Amino acid sequence: MDTGRHALHPRLKPVMRVITVSRWMLFSTVVLLAVVFAVLYIIHPGRVLLIAAAITLPLMSVLFLVLDRLVMKTVIRRIHSTSTLMLSTQPEAMVMQPTGVSLMQGHIVELRKQDTAQDSPPWGLACITTSGQKYLGRKPREVLVYHDAADRESRLALDGGKQIFWGTLTTAEQREQGRRSLNRVLLLVLALLVGIGVLFYVQSTMRMETVRENLRLAEQSAHWPSVPGVVQSSGVEKRKVSRGRSKVTAYAAEVTYQYTVAGDTYTGSIIRFCYAPTRSLQTAREEAAQYPAGGSVTVAYDPAAPALGVLQPGYTDACQADAREIRVGGIAMTGMMILVIAIFAAIMWWQNKCYARTAARLARYGIRF
């Protein structure tokens, strides 16, 4: 967890403190989680807890190591190189004008010396970033620019008063390459979102087909013939069902019964079509209690396929509720996908607009953007 012993410029010490505290908080979270699992296991040992710990702790540890390594290799090293630049060079007062164009590496800004006119060619074009603010806005601001003309990497440090920025001067080729990379990433994310939407649509369509088939059977079962039957077993089964992104515990009545049609004996377990588990254990118990083991029941069966029997024929409410849930979920998912795609499309449109506007302005000075 050593952040280095390099001398830091006073303006960068608050940033380093925030990063150091954040790293220790993440490390403490992993340790605290391990302690919690250990205490819980001591109080109430169980295989489920061990499995949860075996999955969660390694994942959290890997996440911490990856993030910590990422911080060490990028942010902290960049802070130290920025500090070295600020301690070894004299700043020059300039005006920073954001262009509205962002690349994978950061924001593109124009830098002009304060003693030059606003319509004069910029001193340089830089790609900058910071550990804090992500959106620069459109207003120009006065900054102190630290730059070593002999630096092959053309690194910059910008002191904006409330914030320190760092980056490099860029060439037209670098800007064009960065723009293409960003567009490829946006298109890839957009394609991924569309793919998720298609998968959801296919899944919803398959679920709806199943519900429609069950609804058809439920409606037809109201006119099926019926025969007496005998309950073989009756009870409540605990299940895990999906609720959003998580799994929750639910309960379902489990009833098996036998009935005879034209001399052939069949075994069934359908209480009603579209029967779904409930979160209430009491409700499931009451459902199962209606069909005690050894009790007599009336079974409606499909005359075309006698093996298909049901205890509650003509019950369509559950299927209609399932169909409504699928339709509402489909509408919500479609709306969300349209919104997200619209946001991505708006970002790409805005970036291209800012790019074209900046390119047109700089073209007057013979600068290719």
Side-chain angles (χ1 to χ4, degrees):
M1 300 291 291
D2 181 23
T3 58
R5 302 182 181 276
H6 302 79
L8 277 179
H9 191 280
R11 295 284 287 116
L12 292 170
K13 289 183 178 180
V15 178
M16 184 62 78
R17 281 197 293 267
V18 171
I19 293 175
T20 302
V21 170
S22 300
R23 294 173 69 199
W24 276 110
M25 287 181 63
L26 184 58
F27 176 74
S28 300
T29 301
V30 177
V31 175
L32 180 61
L33 192 61
V35 172
V36 169
F37 273 118
V39 171
L40 290 176
Y41 187 77
I42 292 173
I43 296 174
H44 187 69
R47 176 183 290 184
V48 175
L49 194 61
L50 282 177
I51 295 174
I55 295 174
T56 305
L57 291 179
L59 286 177
M60 288 294 295
S61 299
V62 170
L63 177 63
F64 166 74
L65 292 174
V66 170
L67 292 178
D68 190 67
R69 186 65 177 171
L70 185 64
V71 169
M72 284 293 293
K73 291 188 66 174
T74 56
V75 180
I76 291 181
R77 289 186 180 180
R78 181 60 63 86
I79 289 176
H80 283 309
S81 63
T82 302
S83 176
T84 301
L85 184 63
M86 294 175 70
L87 290 172
S88 61
T89 60
Q90 290 296 320
E92 184 174 359
M94 294 191 187
V95 175
M96 179 180 75
Q97 173 66 62
T99 64
V101 178
S102 297
L103 306 179
M104 296 297 294
Q105 298 80 8
H107 307 284
I108 298 296
V109 297
E110 298 178 35
L111 296 173
R112 285 184 172 82
K113 296 184 178 182
Q114 286 190 345
D115 56 357
T116 59
Q118 180 65 26
D119 59 350
S120 61
W123 173 80
L125 293 169
C127 182
I128 63 171
T129 187
T130 177
S131 61
Q133 181 182 0
K134 302 304 179 186
Y135 179 68
L136 296 182
R138 293 288 296 162
K139 294 182 179 180
R141 67 177 74 181
E142 295 182 356
V143 293
L144 294 177
V145 178
Y146 296 82
H147 174 59
D148 183 0
D151 184 7
R152 293 182 178 180
E153 298 181 9
S154 300
R155 290 174 296 180
L156 292 172
L158 285 68
D159 187 346
K162 295 182 178 180
Q163 202 153 16
I164 300 293
F165 304 92
W166 50 75
T168 60
L169 290 174
T170 63
T171 64
E173 290 75 16
Q174 290 171 337
R175 292 189 292 271
E176 180 62 23
Q177 183 180 3
R179 177 171 175 259
R180 290 178 180 176
S181 297
L182 179 62
N183 284 338
R184 282 196 293 266
V185 170
L186 290 176
L187 288 174
L188 180 62
V189 173
L190 192 60
L192 180 62
L193 290 173
V194 171
I196 293 174
V198 170
L199 288 176
F200 179 83
Y201 173 78
V202 171
Q203 183 186 33
S204 297
T205 301
M206 294 174 63
R207 288 180 59 201
M208 182 60 80
E209 288 298 323
T210 300
V211 170
R212 285 173 179 168
E213 176 63 17
N214 284 330
L215 179 59
R216 182 186 67 81
L217 292 173
E219 292 172 343
Q220 291 181 355
S221 66
H223 309 289
W224 286 352
S226 59
V227 293
V230 178
V231 177
Q232 301 296 304
S233 64
S234 177
V236 174
E237 183 183 63
K238 183 165 66 174
R239 300 178 183 175
K240 290 291 184 180
V241 296
S242 298
R243 287 293 185 271
R245 297 182 178 180
S246 59
K247 295 282 189 179
V248 298
T249 301
Y251 305 91
E254 290 289 323
V255 178
T256 59
Y257 47 88
Q258 283 188 347
Y259 58 99
T260 301
V261 177
D264 294 323
T265 300
Y266 301 97
T267 299
S269 61
I270 300 175
I271 297 176
R272 58 178 174 269
F273 294 105
C274 294
Y275 177 79
T278 174
R279 296 293 302 279
S280 171
L281 176 59
Q282 183 61 31
T283 300
R285 285 175 174 172
E286 291 174 356
E287 186 89 50
Q290 298 178 33
Y291 308 101
S296 299
V297 290
T298 300
V299 182
Y301 65 92
D302 184 354
L308 180 60
V310 62
L311 296 180
Q312 297 179 12
Y315 191 93
T316 61
D317 291 355
C319 295
Q320 291 171 350
D322 286 350
R324 284 194 299 270
E325 180 182 352
I326 294 173
R327 282 194 293 268
V328 171
I331 292 172
M333 184 66 176
T334 301
M336 184 177 69
M337 293 298 299
I338 291 175
L339 177 61
V340 172
I341 291 173
I343 290 174
F344 269 87
I347 291 174
M348 295 182 68
W349 172 82
W350 176 253
Q351 283 288 294
N352 289 327
K353 181 180 179 180
C354 291
Y355 188 91
R357 182 171 54 199
T358 303
R361 184 175 63 254
L362 294 176
R364 294 181 301 177
Y365 312 120
I367 299 175
R368 183 165 65 89
F369 187 64

